[in-house]
């Protein structure tokens, strides 16, 4: 059994050694070998070496390092201590450690939360090759479609099994709900008909037995439950009071951070404008500067150089990756809302304002006693909804969302996407959820090699454009390579012929001219049988003369 440990690793081990420790079989055999060496048991040492070879000792380090690099680390970081990485990167090392373990059953609980798109695609490819049984919990429907072939759905304290990936489950589930609703309606009609007969004839002696049999039939009947909605809450972003246009202009800006007075530039020479109503998805590998860009626009950090010009009346609502970490675990959602309203400068009345905030929390499915429940005891999805309420209540006209779908279930992600599509303001979002980006973004900013590449179109159009660019690049380079190879082969063939024809010592000049003349003729490229005989005869004569 292999699973991702949920605790944050605290160790000075190198990243490679930490991931290598996930191979429990290898660790056991190394301990056996060490014990054999201490006891100087030659036969035990021999067996241990054979077992280690069978367990993959010879390529264990490269396998561990390939997992680390696949999950987005740089080659220079392979020997860095685990404690030197941030929390998100350490959780990636926990994932790599689980993948390193030879297992029959692999359990993954939201493995994509800390991954960028490149690492996500790599993980999909790795899991497709995994030979054991895998159980995965994820809110990323495209990830589930890629790696699963059975779906288990938990509803009303029951576990239901569906054959197929998530898309197949959605289809089967909708068909099942339609049949259930039709069966429920049909059964209700039958119950009403039986009840009508019972009420009419239960007191009539001649019909009493028939009425009694219908009473028993009603008691034996297995009741079909009505179809209930999956979600009884909605997201609704407040309508912005004004929309300046442009919302923001960035001019000749270098973005990054400063450590001990030393500036580290992540994104260079940014010249971009953000217009009212735009929905911009920011893509790029981890470490390229996505969060740095978002934090700079959200005023959390300052640009190293250049100028950021905000439109008049710009009001930014910012949801950060670490938003769940700054929630007060001992406070309840209502206390969070009251504190936020005070921070925004409002002076709410006691009962009416509290009731308004309760009503607002109710739209996020925080009803009844849940508004008084400590945030620390809530699930990850419930904490994420609390954090989102803080962003929504600000009535911002410019939303900055950095990985807002982490910890949210698929129904909530769908509701959030619909709410963002109805929102009139401007949105900049960072997300590894491909479905969420494709549903919400109409423009893509890709950060690569310290530059921002702008694409006017949604995520799917951007993917198609990237594929066309990759094919065009291959088409541009491959013919040149083929031509060069052909020319090189032709040149090599000519050089070999000339080399064969060239004597090592001085020979008769007339004979040399005869050979050269034969080589320069066009027919030499495809010589006839007669011509080949003439060449061989001349070369044979040359060889004999050289020998003499």
């Amino acid at each position: 059994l292999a699973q991702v440990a949920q605790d944050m690793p605290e160790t000075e081990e190198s990243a490679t050694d930490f991931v290598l420790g996930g191979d429990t079989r290898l660790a056991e055999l190394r301990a056996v070998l060490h014990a054999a060496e201490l006891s100087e048991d030659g036969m035990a040492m021999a067996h241990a070496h054979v077992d280690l070879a069978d367990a993959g000792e010879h390529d264990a380090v490269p396998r561990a390092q390939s997992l680390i690099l696949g999950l987005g680390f740089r080659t220079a970081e392979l020997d860095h201590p685990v404690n030197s990485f941030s929390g998100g990167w350490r959780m990636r090392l926990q994932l790599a450690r689980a993948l390193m373990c030879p297992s029959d059953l692999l359990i993954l609980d939201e493995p994509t939360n800390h991954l960028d798109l490149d690492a996500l695609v790599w993980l999909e490819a790795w899991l497709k090759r995994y030979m054991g049984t895998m159980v995965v919990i994820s809110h990323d429907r495209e990830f589930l479609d890629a790696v699963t072939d059975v779906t288990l759905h938990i509803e009303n304290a029951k576990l239901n099994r569906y054959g197929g990936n998530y898309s197949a489950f959605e289809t089967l589930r909708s068909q099942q709900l339609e049949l259930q609703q039709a069966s429920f309606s049909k059964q209700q009609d039958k119950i009403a008909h039986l009840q009508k007969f019972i009420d009419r004839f239960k007191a009539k002696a001649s019909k009493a037995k028939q009425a009694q049999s219908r009473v028993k039939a009603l008691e034996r009947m297995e009741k079909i439950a009505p179809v209930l909605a999956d979600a009884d809450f909605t997201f609704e972003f407040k309508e912005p009071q004004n929309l300046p246009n442009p919302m923001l202009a960035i001019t000749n800006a270098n973005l990054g951070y400063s450590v001990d007075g030393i500036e580290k530039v992540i994104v260079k020479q940014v010249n971009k404008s953000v217009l009212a109503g735009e929905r911009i998805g920011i893509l790029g590998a981890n470490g390229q500067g996505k969060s740095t860009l978002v934090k700079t626009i959200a005023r959390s950090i300052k640009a190293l150089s250049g100028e950021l010009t905000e439109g008049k009346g710009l009001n930014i609502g910012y949801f950060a990756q670490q938003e769940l970490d700054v929630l007060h675990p001992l406070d309840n959602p209502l206390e969070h809302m009251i504190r936020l309203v005070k921070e925004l400068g409002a002076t709410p009345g006691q009962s009416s304002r509290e009731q308004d905030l309760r009503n607002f929390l109710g739209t996020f499915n925080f009803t009844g006693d849940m508004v008084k429940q400590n945030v620390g005891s809530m699930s990850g999805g419930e904490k994420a909804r609390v954090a989102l309420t803080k962003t929504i209540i600000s009535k911002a006209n410019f939303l900055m969302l950095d990985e807002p779908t982490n910890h949210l279930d698929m129904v909530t992600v769908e509701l959030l996407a619909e709410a963002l599509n109805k929102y009139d303001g401007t949105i900049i979002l960072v997300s590894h959820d491909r479905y969420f980006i494709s549903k919400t973004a109409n423009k893509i900013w890709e950060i690569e090699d310290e530059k921002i590449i702008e694409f006017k179109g949604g995520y799917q159009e951007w993917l198609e454009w990237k594929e066309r660019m990759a094919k065009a690049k291959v088409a541009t380079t491959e013919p040149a390579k083929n031509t060069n190879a052909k020319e090189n082969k032709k040149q090599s063939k000519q050089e070999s012929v000339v080399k064969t024809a060239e004597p090592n010592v001085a020979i008769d000049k007339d004979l040399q001219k005869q050979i050269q003349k034969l080589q320069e003729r066009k027919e030499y490229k495809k010589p006839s049988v007669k011509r080949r005989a003439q060449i061989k005869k001349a070369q044979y004569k040359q060889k004999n003369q050289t020998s003499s």
Side-chain angles (χ1 to χ4, degrees), residues 251-269:
T251 309
N252 297 326
N254 286 337
L255 311 181
Y257 52 88
S258 180
V259 179
D260 298 329
I262 302 174
E263 292 185 349
K264 173 66 175 176
V265 179
I266 306 296
V267 189
K268 294 181 178 178
Q269 292 299 303

Side-chain angles (χ1 to χ4, degrees), residues 264-270 288 447-452:
K264 173 66 175 176
V265 179
I266 306 296
V267 189
K268 294 181 178 178
Q269 292 299 303
V270 180
Q288 292 292 323
I447 305 179
E448 187 177 17
D449 298 330
E450 301 179 338
K451 296 179 181 178
I452 297 179

Side-chain angles (χ1 to χ4, degrees), residues 153-165:
H153 182 228
I154 303 174
E155 184 182 34
N156 299 327
K158 291 183 179 180
L159 191 68
N160 300 310
R161 184 186 189 277
Y162 295 83
N165 58 19

Side-chain angles (χ1 to χ4, degrees), residues 518 527-537:
L518 288 171
S528 63
V529 175
K530 184 178 179 181
R531 187 68 65 197
R532 289 201 298 271
Q534 289 175 347
I535 294 173
K536 284 185 179 181
K537 186 176 180 181

Side-chain angles (χ1 to χ4, degrees), residues 419-431:
L420 289 173
N421 287 331
K422 295 176 183 177
Y423 175 65
D424 293 330
T426 300
I427 303 168
I428 286 184
L429 62 94
V430 178
S431 178

Side-chain angles (χ1 to χ4, degrees), residues 454-482:
E454 183 175 299
F455 177 80
K456 295 181 180 179
Y459 177 73
Q460 293 299 328
E461 291 85 359
W462 174 81
L463 273 182
E464 294 169 2
W465 174 75
K466 291 284 284 186
E467 290 176 3
R468 289 197 301 271
M469 292 298 101
K471 289 179 181 177
K473 186 176 181 180
V474 171
T476 304
T477 55
E478 279 189 350
K481 289 181 179 179
N482 292 340

Side-chain angles (χ1 to χ4, degrees), residues 510-521:
D510 293 336
L511 180 60
Q512 180 65 33
K513 286 181 179 179
Q514 183 183 358
I515 294 173
Q516 187 175 356
K517 187 176 180 181
L518 288 171
Q519 291 173 346
E520 289 175 351
R521 289 186 180 180

Side-chain angles (χ1 to χ4, degrees), residues 163-282:
N165 58 19
Y166 183 79
S167 293
F169 156 74
E170 276 194 324
T171 303
L172 292 170
R173 172 74 175 147
S174 62
Q175 293 172 353
Q176 184 187 65
L177 291 177
E178 289 177 7
L179 289 173
Q180 182 180 343
Q181 186 60 41
S183 300
F184 173 77
S185 301
K186 188 175 180 180
Q187 187 181 65
Q188 292 301 306
D189 292 340
K190 185 176 181 180
I191 290 173
H193 179 72
L194 291 173
Q195 192 63 48
K196 184 177 180 182
F197 184 91
I198 294 167
D199 294 341
R200 184 177 178 184
F201 296 110
K202 63 182 178 181
K204 195 172 182 180
S206 60
K207 297 284 187 178
K209 287 185 177 181
Q210 295 180 26
Q212 190 63 31
S213 67
R214 282 164 172 75
V215 170
K216 291 180 179 179
L218 272 179
E219 292 174 350
R220 291 193 302 267
M221 187 180 294
E222 185 177 348
K223 301 297 188 293
I224 299 173
V227 175
L228 301 176
D230 286 337
D232 52 359
F233 67 96
T234 57
F235 287 108
E236 185 179 355
F237 288 90
K238 302 299 180 182
E239 184 178 348
Q241 295 178 350
N242 65 322
L243 288 173
N245 198 17
M247 307 286 285
L248 180 76
I250 309 174
T251 309
N252 297 326
N254 286 337
L255 311 181
Y257 52 88
S258 180
V259 179
D260 298 329
I262 302 174
E263 292 185 349
K264 173 66 175 176
V265 179
I266 306 296
V267 189
K268 294 181 178 178
Q269 292 299 303
V270 180
N271 290 279
K272 295 292 176 188
S273 294
V274 181
L275 304 179
E278 285 188 323
R279 286 153 167 72
I280 302 171
I282 301 179

